[in-house]
Amino acid sequence: MTTRKVQNPNAKGGAGFIWAIVAVIAIAAIVIGIIVFNGKKDRKDAIAEEMIDTTGITSTWEEGSDVIHLAAEGAEDAPEADLFEDFSCSHCAELEEATGDQALEALKAGEIQIELRPMVALDGRGDAYSPDHSTRTLAAELALFAHNDTNAALNLRYYLFGNQQDVYKKLEAEDLAKLAEDYGASGDAVQEIRDGKYMDTAKEVSDANIKLQEDRTKDAPADQQGAWTPRVMVDGKDIEGDRDAWVETLKNSK
């Protein structure tokens, strides 16, 4: 009977075994790297396909202001509407679905101007206020507008309303920062979203726009008094006719 000695793999003769392990690890690392790269590329391509074209639209917002002005170059004489909205408002999402594409095209064509007046009322008012989805998402938007990242800001807005049921109260600052980065936002804006820089400002903007509505409507009929979203106002009054037709109504008001 022949007895075969088991060789120690750490001995000199086991060098081939060790190199085989190294090779397997290296190949695995390469494969994982390819998978990660392809995953990032697929994500980038998918995001690019879903992005809206905002070419030609400019935005103006400075800290301390309660309004974000949206218009095309040379559209100073185009009719203008105030659009009050809240990222937690389901009716705001419905209005965006019904009129968002029309508004975008009218903005790009220089046919209208929009005074975007965001609110966070659905996070509560007064003593009942607690910063949540409305405040966090608006803070992210303000960071983008503060850095003139109009394309990223409008694409994030489009995403938040278009996917409202899926993302409501599920997005933290880091999630919003990654979305903004995907949309091509500047590094400074992305970091400010992560830091929650504009959380307090979001509440201040909202309070100002609530007060604006209340002041404008204090002498109006009872059913028009107060503040809510969504709301479209022209020259300080609710736009006439069907709200879902507000873009055409505004275009024809000139």
Side-chain angles (χ1 to χ4, degrees), residues 15-230:
F17 175 76
I18 294 173
W19 281 111
I21 292 176
V22 171
V24 169
I25 293 173
I27 292 171
I30 293 171
V31 170
I32 292 172
I34 292 172
I35 292 172
V36 170
F37 174 80
N38 287 337
K40 288 182 178 179
K41 184 176 183 299
D42 290 344
R43 174 180 167 82
K44 185 176 180 179
D45 290 344
I47 289 170
E49 288 178 5
E50 294 175 357
M51 287 181 67
I52 56 174
D53 181 8
T54 66
T55 304
I57 300 175
T58 61
S59 64
T60 305
W61 180 77
E62 294 180 359
E63 193 165 355
S65 173
D66 55 9
V67 61
I68 301 154
H69 183 73
L70 301 176
E73 293 275 348
E76 293 82 4
D77 295 329
E80 183 177 274
D82 291 312
L83 176 58
F84 298 85
E85 62 185 25
D86 186 318
F87 284 120
S88 295
C89 168
S90 60
H91 295 300
C92 295
E94 291 169 359
L95 184 63
E96 172 63 20
E97 182 179 1
T99 65
D101 289 344
Q102 301 169 41
L104 183 68
E105 293 307 313
L107 276 171
K108 289 163 66 175
E111 297 173 323
I112 66 170
Q113 302 178 75
I114 296 177
E115 296 279 68
L116 200 58
R117 294 187 173 275
M119 291 163 55
V120 301
L122 291 180
D123 280 354
R125 297 193 193 184
D127 293 339
Y129 171 74
S130 178
D132 205 334
H133 183 79
S134 295
T135 307
R136 196 158 43 248
T137 49
L138 177 53
E141 284 284 286
L142 294 179
L144 295 171
F145 282 121
H147 288 275
N148 293 316
D149 286 335
T150 306
N151 183 61
L154 293 181
N155 269 282
L156 179 59
R157 175 181 175 274
Y158 175 79
Y159 174 85
L160 291 170
F161 279 134
N163 298 276
Q164 188 184 73
Q165 292 185 353
D166 295 328
V167 303
Y168 178 63
K169 291 195 174 185
K170 295 179 181 177
L171 297 178
E172 299 298 332
E174 180 62 26
D175 302 311
L176 292 163
K178 288 180 179 178
L179 281 168
E181 192 171 32
D182 288 336
Y183 294 137
S186 62
D188 288 342
V190 170
Q191 188 58 51
E192 288 177 1
I193 294 173
R194 286 195 173 100
D195 294 341
K197 178 178 178 178
Y198 291 98
M199 290 288 286
D200 291 340
T201 305
K203 178 64 163 52
E204 293 166 3
V205 168
S206 177
D207 287 346
N209 284 317
I210 289 172
K211 186 177 186 304
L212 178 65
Q213 285 194 56
E214 292 173 341
D215 289 346
R216 284 180 175 179
T217 60
K218 61 184 178 182
D219 297 323
D223 63 344
Q224 297 175 24
Q225 293 180 7
W228 61 79
T229 58

